[in-house]
Amino acid sequence: MTKSILVINGPNLNLLGTREPEIYGIATLDDIKDSMIGKAAPLGLSIDFRQTNAEGEIVNWIQEARENHQAIIINAGALTHTSVAIMDALLAVNTPSVEVHLSNIFKREEFRHHSYISPAAVGMITGFGAIGYLMAIEAIDNILN
Ligand code: DQA
């Protein structure tokens, strides 16, 4: 049976490709989505790829994942550093999650060094650009098998 991964992208990630490309790269969110689908298919994994600028929507999606998805990949954008609500949602569901960041958050401003997602995730991939999302699929494949 195909297993489904919910990929959640938070605020401002809809602007990828034009947003501070020296930090976040030139790949658009659609490019990342296409490459993830291509990587996941031969592994028997399907990708449900989403983006929102709204914190509550992310919380709703994580709660839904309980029923509909076997794993979560999440780049919560700036909400990484602020959202107790997203951490609590991830802790509430029994769905393994992998945290992704395009940039290396530990090389950047101090306020980006803390993540509320990390305590609820299996692990974090940070600093490898768009490839990090593909690395997260490999991690999920290992976790699920
Ligand atoms: C980000 C890092 C965050 O600090 C920032 O607010 C983002 C993107 C990343 O992918 O590198 O929006 O999550």
Coordinates of all heavy atoms in Angstrom, one line a residue, residues 5-89:
I5 N 2.9 10.9 2.7 CA 3.7 11.9 3.5 C 3.0 13.3 3.3 O 2.9 13.8 2.2 CB 5.2 12.0 3.1 CG1 5.8 10.7 3.1 CG2 5.9 13.0 4.0 CD1 7.3 10.7 2.6
L6 N 2.7 13.9 4.5 CA 2.2 15.3 4.4 C 3.4 16.2 4.5 O 4.1 16.1 5.5 CB 1.2 15.5 5.6 CG 0.7 16.9 5.8 CD1 -0.1 17.4 4.5 CD2 -0.2 17.0 7.0
V7 N 3.5 17.1 3.5 CA 4.6 18.1 3.5 C 4.0 19.4 3.8 O 3.2 19.9 3.0 CB 5.4 18.0 2.2 CG1 6.6 19.0 2.2 CG2 5.9 16.6 1.8
I8 N 4.4 20.0 4.9 CA 3.9 21.3 5.3 C 4.9 22.4 5.2 O 6.0 22.3 5.8 CB 3.4 21.2 6.8 CG1 2.3 20.2 7.0 CG2 2.9 22.6 7.3 CD1 1.9 19.9 8.4
N9 N 4.6 23.4 4.5 CA 5.4 24.6 4.3 C 4.7 25.8 4.9 O 3.6 26.1 4.6 CB 5.7 24.9 2.9 CG 6.6 23.8 2.3 OD1 7.8 23.8 2.5 ND2 5.9 22.9 1.5
G10 N 5.4 26.5 5.8 CA 4.8 27.6 6.5 C 5.0 29.0 5.8 O 5.3 29.1 4.6
P11 N 4.9 30.1 6.6 CA 4.8 31.4 6.1 C 6.0 31.8 5.2 O 7.2 31.5 5.5 CB 4.9 32.3 7.3 CG 4.4 31.4 8.4 CD 4.7 30.0 8.1
N12 N 5.7 32.5 4.1 CA 6.6 33.1 3.1 C 7.3 32.1 2.2 O 8.1 32.5 1.3 CB 7.7 34.0 3.9 CG 7.0 35.1 4.6 OD1 6.2 35.9 4.0 ND2 7.2 35.2 5.9
L13 N 7.1 30.8 2.5 CA 7.8 29.8 1.6 C 7.1 29.8 0.2 O 7.7 29.2 -0.7 CB 7.8 28.4 2.3 CG 8.7 28.4 3.5 CD1 8.5 27.2 4.4 CD2 10.2 28.6 3.1
N14 N 5.9 30.3 0.1 CA 5.3 30.5 -1.2 C 6.2 31.4 -2.1 O 6.0 31.4 -3.3 CB 3.9 31.1 -1.1 CG 3.8 32.3 -0.3 OD1 4.3 32.4 0.8 ND2 3.1 33.3 -0.8
L15 N 7.0 32.2 -1.5 CA 7.8 33.2 -2.3 C 9.2 32.6 -2.7 O 10.0 33.3 -3.3 CB 8.1 34.4 -1.4 CG 6.8 35.2 -1.0 CD1 7.2 36.4 -0.2 CD2 6.0 35.6 -2.2
L16 N 9.4 31.3 -2.4 CA 10.7 30.7 -2.8 C 11.0 30.9 -4.3 O 10.1 30.8 -5.1 CB 10.8 29.2 -2.5 CG 11.0 28.8 -1.0 CD1 11.1 27.3 -0.9 CD2 12.3 29.5 -0.5
G17 N 12.3 31.2 -4.6 CA 12.7 31.4 -5.9 C 13.0 32.9 -6.1 O 14.0 33.3 -6.8
T18 N 12.2 33.7 -5.4 CA 12.5 35.2 -5.5 C 12.9 35.7 -4.1 O 13.4 36.8 -4.0 CB 11.3 36.0 -6.0 OG1 10.2 35.7 -5.2 CG2 10.9 35.6 -7.5
R19 N 12.5 35.0 -3.1 CA 12.8 35.5 -1.7 C 14.2 35.3 -1.3 O 14.7 34.1 -1.2 CB 11.8 34.7 -0.8 CG 12.1 35.0 0.7 CD 11.4 34.0 1.6 NE 11.5 34.3 3.0 CZ 11.4 33.5 4.0 NH1 11.1 32.2 3.7 NH2 11.6 33.9 5.2
E20 N 15.0 36.3 -1.1 CA 16.4 36.2 -0.6 C 17.1 35.0 -1.2 O 17.5 34.1 -0.4 CB 16.4 36.2 0.9 CG 15.8 37.4 1.6 CD 15.8 37.4 3.1 OE1 14.9 36.8 3.7 OE2 16.8 37.9 3.7
P21 N 17.2 34.9 -2.5 CA 17.8 33.7 -3.1 C 19.2 33.4 -2.6 O 19.6 32.2 -2.6 CB 17.8 34.0 -4.6 CG 17.6 35.5 -4.7 CD 16.9 35.9 -3.5
E22 N 19.9 34.4 -2.1 CA 21.3 34.1 -1.6 C 21.2 33.3 -0.3 O 22.1 32.6 0.0 CB 22.0 35.4 -1.4 CG 21.5 36.4 -0.4 CD 20.2 37.1 -0.7 OE1 19.7 37.0 -1.8 OE2 19.7 37.8 0.2
I23 N 20.0 33.3 0.3 CA 19.9 32.5 1.5 C 19.1 31.2 1.2 O 19.4 30.1 1.7 CB 19.1 33.3 2.6 CG1 19.9 34.5 3.1 CG2 18.8 32.4 3.8 CD1 19.2 35.4 4.1
Y24 N 18.0 31.3 0.4 CA 17.1 30.2 0.3 C 17.2 29.5 -1.1 O 16.5 28.5 -1.3 CB 15.6 30.7 0.5 CG 15.4 31.2 1.9 CD1 15.1 32.6 2.1 CD2 15.5 30.4 3.0 CE1 14.9 33.1 3.4 CE2 15.3 30.9 4.3 CZ 15.0 32.2 4.5 OH 14.9 32.7 5.8
G25 N 18.0 30.0 -2.0 CA 18.2 29.3 -3.3 C 17.2 29.8 -4.3 O 16.3 30.7 -4.0
I26 N 17.3 29.2 -5.5 CA 16.5 29.7 -6.6 C 15.3 28.7 -6.9 O 14.5 29.0 -7.8 CB 17.3 30.0 -7.9 CG1 18.1 28.7 -8.3 CG2 18.2 31.2 -7.7 CD1 18.7 28.8 -9.7
A27 N 15.3 27.6 -6.3 CA 14.2 26.6 -6.5 C 12.9 27.2 -6.0 O 12.9 27.8 -4.9 CB 14.5 25.3 -5.8
T28 N 11.9 27.1 -6.8 CA 10.5 27.5 -6.3 C 9.9 26.4 -5.5 O 10.4 25.2 -5.6 CB 9.6 27.9 -7.5 OG1 9.4 26.6 -8.3 CG2 10.3 28.9 -8.4
L29 N 8.8 26.7 -4.9 CA 8.1 25.7 -4.1 C 7.6 24.6 -5.0 O 7.6 23.4 -4.7 CB 7.0 26.3 -3.3 CG 6.6 25.6 -2.0 CD1 7.8 25.4 -1.1 CD2 5.5 26.4 -1.3
D30 N 7.2 25.0 -6.3 CA 6.7 24.0 -7.2 C 7.8 23.1 -7.7 O 7.6 21.9 -7.9 CB 6.1 24.7 -8.5 CG 4.6 25.0 -8.3 OD1 4.0 24.4 -7.3 OD2 4.1 25.8 -9.1
D31 N 9.0 23.6 -7.8 CA 10.2 22.8 -8.2 C 10.4 21.8 -7.1 O 10.7 20.6 -7.4 CB 11.5 23.6 -8.3 CG 11.5 24.6 -9.4 OD1 10.8 24.4 -10.4 OD2 12.2 25.6 -9.3
I32 N 10.3 22.2 -5.8 CA 10.6 21.3 -4.7 C 9.5 20.2 -4.7 O 9.8 19.0 -4.5 CB 10.6 22.1 -3.4 CG1 11.9 23.0 -3.3 CG2 10.6 21.1 -2.2 CD1 11.9 23.9 -2.1
K33 N 8.2 20.6 -4.9 CA 7.1 19.7 -4.9 C 7.4 18.6 -6.0 O 7.3 17.4 -5.7 CB 5.8 20.4 -5.2 CG 4.6 19.5 -5.4 CD 3.4 20.3 -5.7 CE 2.2 19.4 -6.0 NZ 1.0 20.2 -6.3
D34 N 7.7 19.0 -7.2 CA 7.9 18.1 -8.3 C 9.1 17.1 -8.0 O 9.0 15.9 -8.3 CB 8.3 18.8 -9.6 CG 7.0 19.6 -10.1 OD1 5.9 19.3 -9.7 OD2 7.2 20.4 -11.0
S35 N 10.2 17.6 -7.4 CA 11.3 16.8 -7.2 C 11.0 15.8 -6.0 O 11.4 14.6 -6.1 CB 12.6 17.6 -6.8 OG 12.4 18.2 -5.6
M36 N 10.1 16.2 -5.1 CA 9.7 15.3 -4.0 C 8.9 14.2 -4.5 O 9.0 13.0 -4.2 CB 9.0 16.0 -2.9 CG 9.9 16.9 -2.1 SD 9.0 17.7 -0.7 CE 9.3 16.4 0.6
I37 N 7.9 14.5 -5.4 CA 7.0 13.5 -6.0 C 7.9 12.5 -6.8 O 7.7 11.3 -6.6 CB 6.0 14.1 -6.9 CG1 5.0 14.9 -6.0 CG2 5.2 13.1 -7.7 CD1 4.0 15.8 -6.7
G38 N 8.9 13.0 -7.5 CA 9.7 12.1 -8.3 C 10.6 11.2 -7.4 O 10.8 10.0 -7.8
K39 N 11.0 11.7 -6.3 CA 11.8 10.9 -5.4 C 11.0 9.8 -4.6 O 11.4 8.7 -4.4 CB 12.5 11.8 -4.4 CG 13.1 11.2 -3.2 CD 14.6 11.1 -3.3 CE 15.2 10.3 -2.2 NZ 16.6 9.9 -2.4
A40 N 9.8 10.2 -4.3 CA 8.9 9.4 -3.4 C 8.3 8.2 -4.1 O 8.2 7.1 -3.5 CB 7.8 10.3 -2.7
A41 N 7.9 8.5 -5.4 CA 7.1 7.4 -6.1 C 7.8 6.1 -6.1 O 7.2 5.1 -5.8 CB 6.8 7.9 -7.5
P42 N 9.1 6.0 -6.5 CA 9.7 4.6 -6.6 C 9.8 4.0 -5.2 O 10.0 2.8 -5.1 CB 11.1 4.9 -7.2 CG 11.3 6.3 -7.3 CD 10.0 7.0 -7.0
L43 N 9.7 4.8 -4.1 CA 9.8 4.2 -2.8 C 8.4 3.8 -2.3 O 8.3 3.4 -1.1 CB 10.4 5.3 -1.8 CG 11.8 5.7 -2.1 CD1 12.2 6.9 -1.2 CD2 12.8 4.6 -1.9
G44 N 7.4 4.0 -3.1 CA 6.0 3.6 -2.7 C 5.5 4.6 -1.7 O 4.6 4.3 -0.9
L45 N 5.9 5.9 -1.9 CA 5.4 6.9 -1.0 C 4.7 8.0 -1.8 O 5.2 8.3 -2.9 CB 6.6 7.6 -0.2 CG 7.4 6.7 0.7 CD1 8.7 7.3 1.1 CD2 6.6 6.2 1.9
S46 N 3.6 8.5 -1.3 CA 3.0 9.6 -2.1 C 3.2 10.9 -1.2 O 3.4 10.9 0.0 CB 1.5 9.3 -2.3 OG 0.8 9.4 -1.1
I47 N 3.1 12.0 -2.0 CA 3.4 13.3 -1.4 C 2.2 14.2 -1.4 O 1.6 14.4 -2.5 CB 4.5 14.0 -2.1 CG1 5.8 13.2 -2.1 CG2 4.7 15.5 -1.7 CD1 6.5 13.2 -0.7
D48 N 1.7 14.7 -0.2 CA 0.6 15.6 -0.2 C 1.3 17.0 0.2 O 1.6 17.2 1.4 CB -0.4 15.2 0.9 CG -1.6 16.1 1.0 OD1 -1.5 17.2 0.4 OD2 -2.6 15.7 1.5
F49 N 1.5 17.8 -0.7 CA 2.4 19.0 -0.6 C 1.5 20.3 -0.4 O 0.7 20.6 -1.2 CB 3.2 19.1 -1.8 CG 4.4 20.1 -1.7 CD1 5.6 19.6 -1.3 CD2 4.2 21.4 -2.0 CE1 6.7 20.5 -1.2 CE2 5.3 22.3 -1.9 CZ 6.6 21.8 -1.5
R50 N 1.8 21.0 0.7 CA 0.9 22.1 1.1 C 1.8 23.3 1.6 O 2.9 23.1 2.1 CB -0.1 21.8 2.1 CG -0.9 20.6 1.8 CD -2.0 20.4 2.9 NE -2.5 19.0 2.8 CZ -3.5 18.6 3.5 NH1 -4.0 19.3 4.5 NH2 -4.0 17.3 3.4
Q51 N 1.2 24.5 1.4 CA 1.8 25.7 2.0 C 0.8 26.6 2.5 O -0.3 26.8 1.9 CB 2.7 26.5 0.9 CG 3.5 27.6 1.4 CD 2.8 29.0 1.6 OE1 1.8 29.2 0.9 NE2 3.2 29.8 2.5
T52 N 1.0 27.3 3.6 CA 0.1 28.3 4.1 C 0.9 29.3 4.9 O 2.0 29.0 5.5 CB -1.0 27.6 5.1 OG1 -1.8 28.7 5.6 CG2 -0.3 26.9 6.3
N53 N 0.3 30.5 5.0 CA 0.9 31.5 5.8 C 0.2 31.6 7.2 O 0.6 32.4 8.0 CB 0.8 32.9 5.1 CG 1.6 33.0 3.9 OD1 2.7 32.4 3.8 ND2 1.2 33.6 2.8
A54 N -0.7 30.7 7.4 CA -1.6 30.8 8.7 C -1.2 29.6 9.6 O -1.3 28.5 9.3 CB -3.0 30.7 8.3
E55 N -0.9 30.0 10.8 CA -0.5 29.1 11.9 C -1.6 28.1 12.2 O -1.3 26.9 12.3 CB -0.1 29.9 13.2 CG 0.4 29.0 14.3 CD 0.8 29.8 15.5 OE1 0.5 31.1 15.6 OE2 1.4 29.3 16.4
G56 N -2.8 28.5 12.3 CA -3.9 27.7 12.7 C -4.2 26.6 11.6 O -4.5 25.5 12.0
E57 N -3.9 27.0 10.4 CA -4.1 26.0 9.3 C -3.1 24.9 9.4 O -3.4 23.7 9.2 CB -4.0 26.7 8.0 CG -4.5 25.9 6.8 CD -4.9 26.7 5.6 OE1 -4.4 27.8 5.5 OE2 -5.7 26.2 4.8
I58 N -1.9 25.2 9.8 CA -0.9 24.2 10.0 C -1.3 23.2 11.2 O -1.2 22.0 11.1 CB 0.5 24.8 10.3 CG1 1.0 25.6 9.1 CG2 1.5 23.7 10.8 CD1 2.3 26.3 9.2
V59 N -1.8 23.8 12.3 CA -2.3 23.0 13.4 C -3.4 22.0 12.9 O -3.4 20.8 13.2 CB -2.8 23.9 14.5 CG1 -3.5 23.1 15.6 CG2 -1.6 24.7 15.1
N60 N -4.3 22.6 12.1 CA -5.4 21.7 11.6 C -4.9 20.6 10.7 O -5.3 19.4 10.8 CB -6.4 22.5 10.8 CG -7.3 23.4 11.6 OD1 -7.5 23.1 12.8 ND2 -7.8 24.5 11.1
W61 N -3.9 20.9 9.9 CA -3.3 19.9 9.0 C -2.6 18.8 9.8 O -2.7 17.6 9.4 CB -2.3 20.5 8.0 CG -3.0 21.4 6.9 CD1 -4.3 21.4 6.6 CD2 -2.3 22.3 6.1 NE1 -4.5 22.3 5.6 CE2 -3.3 22.9 5.2 CE3 -1.0 22.7 5.9 CZ2 -3.0 23.8 4.3 CZ3 -0.7 23.7 5.0 CH2 -1.6 24.2 4.1
I62 N -1.9 19.2 10.8 CA -1.2 18.2 11.6 C -2.2 17.3 12.3 O -2.0 16.0 12.3 CB -0.3 18.9 12.7 CG1 0.9 19.6 11.9 CG2 0.3 17.9 13.7 CD1 1.7 20.5 12.8
Q63 N -3.3 17.8 12.8 CA -4.3 17.0 13.4 C -4.9 16.0 12.4 O -5.2 14.9 12.8 CB -5.4 17.9 14.1 CG -4.9 18.7 15.3 CD -6.0 19.4 16.0 OE1 -7.2 19.3 15.7 NE2 -5.6 20.3 16.9
E64 N -5.2 16.5 11.2 CA -5.7 15.6 10.1 C -4.8 14.5 9.8 O -5.2 13.4 9.4 CB -5.8 16.4 8.8 CG -7.1 17.0 8.5 CD -6.9 17.8 7.2 OE1 -6.3 17.4 6.3 OE2 -7.4 19.0 7.2
A65 N -3.5 14.7 10.0 CA -2.5 13.7 9.6 C -2.7 12.4 10.3 O -2.3 11.3 9.8 CB -1.1 14.3 9.7
R66 N -3.2 12.5 11.5 CA -3.5 11.3 12.4 C -4.2 10.3 11.6 O -4.0 9.1 11.7 CB -4.3 11.8 13.5 CG -3.7 11.5 14.9 CD -4.6 11.9 16.0 NE -5.6 12.9 15.7 CZ -6.3 13.5 16.6 NH1 -6.2 13.1 17.9 NH2 -7.2 14.4 16.3
E67 N -5.2 10.7 10.8 CA -6.1 9.8 10.1 C -5.5 9.5 8.7 O -5.6 8.4 8.2 CB -7.5 10.4 9.8 CG -8.1 11.0 11.1 CD -8.8 9.9 11.9 OE1 -9.6 9.2 11.3 OE2 -8.5 9.8 13.1
N68 N -4.9 10.5 8.0 CA -4.7 10.4 6.6 C -3.3 10.2 6.1 O -3.1 10.0 4.9 CB -5.3 11.7 5.9 CG -6.8 11.9 6.2 OD1 -7.5 10.9 6.4 ND2 -7.2 13.1 6.4
H69 N -2.3 10.4 7.0 CA -0.9 10.3 6.6 C -0.1 9.5 7.5 O -0.4 9.4 8.7 CB -0.3 11.7 6.5 CG -1.1 12.7 5.6 ND1 -1.0 12.7 4.3 CD2 -2.1 13.6 5.9 CE1 -1.8 13.5 3.7 NE2 -2.5 14.1 4.7
Q70 N 1.0 8.9 7.0 CA 1.9 8.0 7.8 C 3.1 8.8 8.3 O 3.8 8.3 9.2 CB 2.3 6.8 7.0 CG 1.3 5.7 6.8 CD 0.1 6.2 6.0 OE1 0.2 6.7 4.9 NE2 -1.1 6.0 6.6
A71 N 3.4 10.0 7.7 CA 4.5 10.8 8.2 C 4.3 12.2 7.8 O 3.5 12.5 6.9 CB 5.8 10.2 7.6
I72 N 5.1 13.1 8.5 CA 5.0 14.5 8.2 C 6.4 15.1 7.9 O 7.4 14.7 8.7 CB 4.4 15.3 9.4 CG1 3.0 14.9 9.6 CG2 4.5 16.8 9.2 CD1 2.4 15.4 10.9
I73 N 6.6 15.9 6.9 CA 7.8 16.7 6.7 C 7.4 18.1 6.9 O 6.4 18.6 6.2 CB 8.4 16.4 5.3 CG1 8.9 15.0 5.2 CG2 9.6 17.4 5.1 CD1 9.4 14.6 3.8
I74 N 8.1 18.9 7.7 CA 7.6 20.2 8.0 C 8.7 21.2 8.0 O 9.8 21.1 8.7 CB 6.8 20.3 9.4 CG1 6.3 21.7 9.7 CG2 7.6 19.7 10.5 CD1 5.3 21.8 10.7
N75 N 8.5 22.3 7.2 CA 9.3 23.5 7.3 C 8.4 24.6 7.7 O 7.6 25.1 6.9 CB 10.0 23.8 5.9 CG 10.9 25.1 6.0 OD1 10.8 25.8 7.1 ND2 11.6 25.4 5.0
A76 N 8.4 24.9 9.0 CA 7.4 25.9 9.5 C 7.8 27.3 9.3 O 7.1 28.2 9.8 CB 7.1 25.6 11.0
G77 N 8.9 27.5 8.6 CA 9.3 28.9 8.4 C 9.6 29.6 9.7 O 10.0 29.0 10.7
A78 N 9.2 30.9 9.8 CA 9.5 31.6 11.0 C 8.7 31.1 12.2 O 9.1 31.3 13.4 CB 9.1 33.1 10.8
L79 N 7.6 30.4 11.9 CA 6.8 29.8 13.0 C 7.6 28.7 13.8 O 7.3 28.4 15.0 CB 5.5 29.2 12.5 CG 4.5 30.2 12.0 CD1 3.3 29.5 11.3 CD2 3.9 31.1 13.1
T80 N 8.7 28.2 13.2 CA 9.6 27.3 13.9 C 10.0 27.9 15.2 O 10.2 27.2 16.2 CB 10.9 27.2 13.0 OG1 10.5 26.6 11.7 CG2 11.9 26.3 13.7
H81 N 10.3 29.2 15.2 CA 10.9 29.9 16.3 C 9.9 30.5 17.3 O 10.3 31.1 18.3 CB 11.8 31.0 15.8 CG 12.6 30.6 14.6 ND1 13.5 29.5 14.7 CD2 12.6 31.0 13.3 CE1 14.1 29.3 13.5 NE2 13.5 30.2 12.6
T82 N 8.6 30.3 17.0 CA 7.6 31.0 17.9 C 6.5 30.1 18.3 O 5.8 30.4 19.3 CB 7.0 32.2 17.1 OG1 6.3 31.7 15.9 CG2 8.0 33.2 16.7
S83 N 6.2 29.0 17.6 CA 4.9 28.4 17.7 C 4.8 27.2 18.7 O 5.1 26.0 18.3 CB 4.3 27.9 16.4 OG 3.1 27.4 16.5
V84 N 4.4 27.4 19.9 CA 4.1 26.4 20.8 C 2.9 25.5 20.3 O 2.9 24.3 20.5 CB 3.8 27.0 22.2 CG1 3.4 25.9 23.2 CG2 5.0 27.7 22.8
A85 N 2.0 26.2 19.6 CA 0.8 25.5 19.1 C 1.2 24.4 18.1 O 0.6 23.3 18.1 CB -0.2 26.5 18.5
I86 N 2.1 24.7 17.2 CA 2.6 23.7 16.3 C 3.3 22.5 17.0 O 3.1 21.4 16.7 CB 3.4 24.3 15.1 CG1 2.5 25.2 14.3 CG2 4.0 23.2 14.2 CD1 3.3 26.0 13.2
M87 N 4.2 22.9 17.9 CA 4.8 21.8 18.7 C 3.8 20.9 19.4 O 3.9 19.7 19.3 CB 5.8 22.5 19.7 CG 6.4 21.4 20.7 SD 7.5 22.2 21.9 CE 6.4 22.9 23.0
D88 N 2.8 21.5 20.0 CA 1.8 20.8 20.8 C 1.1 19.9 19.8 O 0.7 18.7 20.2 CB 0.9 21.7 21.5 CG 1.5 22.2 22.8 OD1 2.5 21.7 23.2 OD2 0.8 23.1 23.4
A89 N 0.7 20.4 18.6 CA 0.0 19.5 17.6 C 0.8 18.3 17.2 O 0.3 17.2 17.2 CB -0.4 20.4 16.4

